[in-house]
Amino acid sequence: VSRTTVRRLPQKQVEQVQALHELLDAALVAHLAVLQDGQPFVVPTAFARDGDRLLLHGSTASRAFLALADGVPTCATVTIVDGVVVARSHFESSMHYRSAMVLGRCERLEGEPERLGLAALAARLLPGLDGARPPSGKELAATLVLSLPLAEWSLKVSDGPPDDVPADLDREVWAGVVPLQHRWGAPVPAPDLRAGIDVPVALGSWPAGRA
Amino acid sequence: VSRTTVRRLPQKQVEQVQALHELLDAALVAHLAVLQDGQPFVVPTAFARDGDRLLLHGSTASRAFLALADGVPTCATVTIVDGVVVARSHFESSMHYRSAMVLGRCERLEGEPERLGLAALAARLLPGLDGARPPSGKELAATLVLSLPLAEWSLKVSDGPPDDVPADLDREVWAGVVPLQHRWGAPVPAPDLRAGIDVPVALGSWPAGRA
């Protein structure tokens, strides 16, 4: 039994690394733990999976990111809610979700690895949008880029229909799943966008179902 | 400067408790910090706002919930991503989001307050679905219900168009916002649903935009 063995509802644990990657590639935000003066904080942050690591970026003025850059133990949890499970009892009602927990310590990237890390973040968070200006030296100096290895992790996936106890099956009440969908809306141009610049074709091929 | 003063991007801090309530009432899942043996964990959990407290429920077999029930310091973070901000530089690109952070210690509810807490959770997570069976004594005994006061909190909201530096405004590149929408899909009846039970009308009035 390791720290990432799922003890509660172990039937929901998924061991396949491909399923982990699929969730991480569908999500936009991770929630990271940072312990400061005995108080744990949970900090939401955009991230990108790059092979077998997570890339994160934040400000050099952020206390939380400075602590993470120091290599304190952290946990990055990534969750997507896919629906609500309506059972015939409150107890069996639940949610469809995918949730990954990654334990470890971040490493700060500097120099060329930092530049490459930021490029990988841009490619994942802004796919196909190649015309934006990469960071200047001053912007790089204000940015912390961290890498968290996908070494110690667990994945829990809850799906399927409600699992009611037999005695409840005769109740005159609806049961099933109400899916929750995450979709891109129509792009809204900036008010100061120059005339004659169309919405990039790439936006239409952004991964559906991201959350 | 308190522990919940937003130091990074303070212009995004929102002080109105009504905005806090709106976010908490739109979200389904909070990410809670639990420190165990020096390792912080971030645990996703369904929650409900009930007045000026958050209600959480979990299993009496969950180490994380048992620790929270003991009143260890925690942080509950609730985040909804509302879109991606595409700026003319990578540095100014960001996201639209609403994120609340609640610091404090949970209190375990027992007896009548536990029963009322579970009823409030069901009313929030399964609104309008009154026919499901409330918990039995055995189910109650297997359930931890926790309350976290909305006393020490911060709220950050990022919205609006990209805020590019003047030198980038002439770039031949699109800028704007791509909204991310969260919507209910068509309800999927359980395979063992009895014939003649229609989808409840209440599902059609579930709060839109929950995530």
Side-chain angles (χ1 to χ4, degrees), chain A residues 112-162:
Chain A
E112 185 66 2
E114 177 180 19
R115 208 188 52 73
L116 291 172
L118 282 173
L121 275 156
R124 272 273 296 122
L125 297 171
L126 306 166
L129 303 181
D130 303 322
R133 177 177 58 74
S136 66
K138 190 177 164 187
E139 290 168 345
L140 274 176
T143 306
L144 274 171
V145 182
L146 306 178
S147 164
L148 179 65
L150 292 174
E152 192 178 0
W153 57 270
S154 68
L155 173 65
K156 250 172 128 169
V157 175
S158 179
D159 52 15

Side-chain angles (χ1 to χ4, degrees), chain A residues 75-99:
Chain A
C75 170
T77 297
V78 174
T79 306
I80 296 180
V81 178
D82 291 313
V84 171
V85 179
V86 181
R88 290 137 178 120
S89 67
H90 291 164
F91 188 78
E92 296 294 344
S93 295
S94 61
M95 291 191 187
H96 278 185
Y97 60 85
R98 293 167 280 165
S99 186

Side-chain angles (χ1 to χ4, degrees), chain B residues 72-202:
Chain B
V72 296
T74 189
C75 170
T77 297
V78 174
T79 306
I80 295 180
V81 178
D82 292 314
V84 170
V85 179
V86 180
R88 290 137 178 120
S89 67
H90 291 165
F91 189 78
E92 296 294 345
S93 296
S94 61
M95 291 191 188
H96 278 186
Y97 61 84
R98 294 166 279 165
S99 187
M101 199 180 272
V102 182
L103 303 182
R105 297 167 189 266
C106 292
E107 179 195 355
R108 180 175 181 178
L109 304 183
E110 294 182 274
E112 185 66 4
E114 177 181 19
R115 208 188 52 73
L116 290 172
L118 282 173
L121 275 156
R124 272 274 296 122
L125 296 171
L126 306 166
L129 303 181
D130 303 322
R133 179 176 58 73
S136 67
K138 192 177 164 187
E139 290 169 347
L140 273 176
T143 306
L144 276 171
V145 182
L146 306 179
S147 164
L148 180 64
L150 291 174
E152 194 177 359
W153 56 269
S154 67
L155 173 65
K156 250 172 127 167
V157 175
S158 179
D159 54 14
D163 186 20
D164 279 301
V165 297
D168 287 335
L169 293 179
D170 282 340
R171 295 183 73 86
E172 281 283 342
V173 60
W174 191 82
V177 173
V178 188
L180 186 60
Q181 299 167 341
H182 312 286
R183 296 181 188 170
W184 300 112
V188 180
D192 54 7
L193 184 66
R194 290 178 57 186
I197 299 184
D198 293 333
V199 170
V201 176

